[in-house]
Amino acid sequence: MCGIVGFSKFERSLSIDSNRLLDTLVHRGPDDQNFYETDDIYLGHTRLSIVGIADGRQPMHFDGLTLIFNGEIYNYKEIKKDLINQGYSFDTSSDTEVLLKAFHFWGKDFISKLNGMYAFVIFCNKTKKIFLARDFFGIKPLYFCTRGTDILFSSEMMSLVSIFNSNNINFNLSSAAQKDYLKNGASNIPIIKDINELEKGKLFCLENGELTEIYSCSGTTNIDSADNLQHLLEKELDEQLNADVEVGIMLSGGIDSSLLTALSSKKIKNLKTFSIAFEEGKKFDESKYSRKVANRFSTEHYEFKCTEDVMLSYLPKLIEALDAPICDPAMLPTLYLSDKISEKVKVVLSGDGGDELFAGYTHHIVAHHKSLLNFAYNLIKFIPVFNEKKEILRKLLKNNTSLENQIDLDLNEGLNFKLLRKTDLCSMRFGIEVRVPYLSKRIFSYSKSKNISSFIGLTKGKLPLRKLTEKLIDKEIAYKEKKGFRIPLKKWIVEGNLGSIVQQDLNNHLLISEDVITKSELNKVLANLDTFYQEAFSIYLLNNWIKKAKNI
């Protein structure tokens, strides 16, 4: 896991301090920083050394090609064997060299052979073509901006914003993107008109100023019909637990991370697991479940208590980490946990993706049982009990998206623009690589080979993972109520110091324009924090992101 940044110099229209540019990504790669520069291009790389520690330095060169790469190719050993059979030799033990020589041999088709998370740029010194790609799920980010025949690119958008600011280039913020963010907590609309996120699952080529898609991957692979889910997960973990450094697990106590712990503990002795505990009680705290799983599999378990004071101390770090506007209050404990994990290991596994692939969210269950739930809601809507839950159900029933389309939406937008970005920004702020075994070709192919409706029971989704959890752990973990990774945001804003911080900032230093939120709308939010606490925090994060982007 690393940071990559660079720019072409065909027109030389910008003044760029390459050293300062590389410094914007040092947190992503604290182990090494290096660059390659010619009259045509600058390629910078900050390295978090995981595989091929001694010999995997980048940028890497081979036969006129130069590569910078962020991520991991989990099946690199298999690809390496194929290339050796084709006559290639290797000077390093890194997956980076395998990636570069795979491109050299197979050309654009090599993308279909990769199982991993990645964003990379390859420059061909002979043809002056620049190739850019991201993995199928969009686990690793890559932003770009074209200016004339030139291109600028980076793992983080703020690196490109720093170039705009240093060249006194005015840039407008999209009102549509800001409104979409305030509604959904993230947006797939570019917030800065000239900066885009490279489309996931595709390989692009820049030639003579034209950026063209030249390959699109399917995300699936052939799996043996006899392979059950447990066997596929074990195969995936055989690859994803491979590293030249120790690998741990973010153990929330939920099904997905608990299952990874159960399977990984067979492969790693003294497996380290990490979790968060909240003092606000069982509504938010799942630490008893993570402790139970840790004890069951004899892991070396670390638990960190998350209080309001601790979270407030991480609020400035959250603002620093926000590369694009994302509002997920769980970013605060994720930052805190990543910081603590960095003291023990460099790599952890996460259960991200399990809900998206196996229909684990409440809105999946509602979509599947919509007729039944509509009938039930009409029977109870006037009965004065469970009002909060009835209101949530009412809102979910208004969504007419089919289950299949909802799953696709969650995979393509919810994951790509919010969940994976949150995880990447929080973990990389402290130089931690997070691997997500559920978001792999094997597990995706298994999910796609089944009828999605079969994943949902009467009241619970994710049945294949629940049944496997029951087999490997127990019924309590397998069928407990889903909570998600939430924090007591309402209490901290209404009763704690966070509310006054938010109010003071928005009353005295508001930078969000009136066409995004009017003064009267903002006043309504701030006067009713008991109701609009989530909206207040979202506005606060957007306002501080704008300060950072505008260098104010």
Side-chain angles (χ1 to χ4, degrees), residues 236-254:
E236 193 60 40
L237 288 170
D238 284 339
E239 291 183 349
Q240 296 214 22
L241 290 171
N242 176 65
D244 294 338
V245 296
E246 195 171 1
V247 180
I249 294 182
M250 285 179 161
L251 177 57
S252 68

Side-chain angles (χ1 to χ4, degrees), residues 6 30 69 81 141 155 204 228 232 254 277 279 281 286 470 496 506 521:
F69 159 49
K81 287 179 183 177
S155 297
F204 292 85
N228 59 34
L232 290 170
E279 59 183 13
E286 292 197 284
E470 181 181 2
L506 296 180
E521 288 171 333

